[in-house]
Amino acid sequence: MLEELNGKRLLVLGGTAWADILFAFARENGITLVTTGKEPNEIFDEYYYIDSTDNAGMKKLIQEKKIDGVYVGSNERVIQHATQYLTELRMPCYCTTEQWDTLMNKRKFKE
């Protein structure tokens, strides 16, 4: 067990392809898994009926539920919004909004 992770709260946005690995890692390390969505997966420890692309709603949820980290899966629309609200909350994300915009724009990407 990684003691520094015990008691942490991880918000999972998409990424159900990795669910088995995420759940096993969370169980081994005392991490609470949280998710959101219009139809959130009820196998998570906590789930909330909020659209993951609702920037204001997600910022409020992350703050109120004391989320320590966010795992953003592969849904392009969610990634686009998550890069924005995670930046505003000063939380880490694997790319910035500007980087995501470049990746999604073929002309910019080729430059």
Side-chain angles (χ1 to χ4, degrees), residues 15-67:
T16 54
W18 298 100
D20 292 343
I21 295 168
L22 283 171
F23 280 93
F25 185 81
R27 274 192 305 274
E28 290 172 11
N29 292 286
I31 299 169
T32 299
L33 293 179
V34 180
T35 195
T36 63
K38 294 176 184 174
E39 296 178 25
N41 193 327
E42 297 178 3
I43 64 170
F44 283 81
D45 299 316
E46 295 177 23
Y47 49 91
Y48 300 95
Y49 294 90
I50 181 169
D51 187 335
S52 301
T53 64
D54 174 358
N55 290 16
M58 290 300 294
K59 283 173 32 179
K60 182 178 177 183
L61 179 119
I62 289 168
Q63 292 171 322
E64 287 181 357
K65 301 301 178 185
K66 299 185 182 343
I67 300 298

Side-chain angles (χ1 to χ4, degrees), residues 61-109:
L61 179 119
I62 289 168
Q63 292 171 322
E64 287 181 357
K65 301 301 178 185
K66 299 185 182 343
I67 300 298
D68 296 298
V70 180
Y71 172 83
V72 183
S74 59
N75 181 306
E76 293 174 358
R77 189 162 175 256
V78 172
I79 295 169
Q80 178 184 4
H81 286 273
T83 60
Q84 295 169 8
Y85 54 77
L86 292 175
T87 297
E88 291 173 19
L89 291 170
R90 299 183 192 269
M91 293 183 81
C93 189
Y94 52 79
C95 70
T96 65
T97 301
E98 294 78 22
Q99 290 169 328
W100 183 251
D101 289 343
T102 299
L103 291 170
M104 296 308 296
N105 181 315
K106 288 182 182 181
R107 185 172 293 145
K108 285 183 181 179
F109 184 76

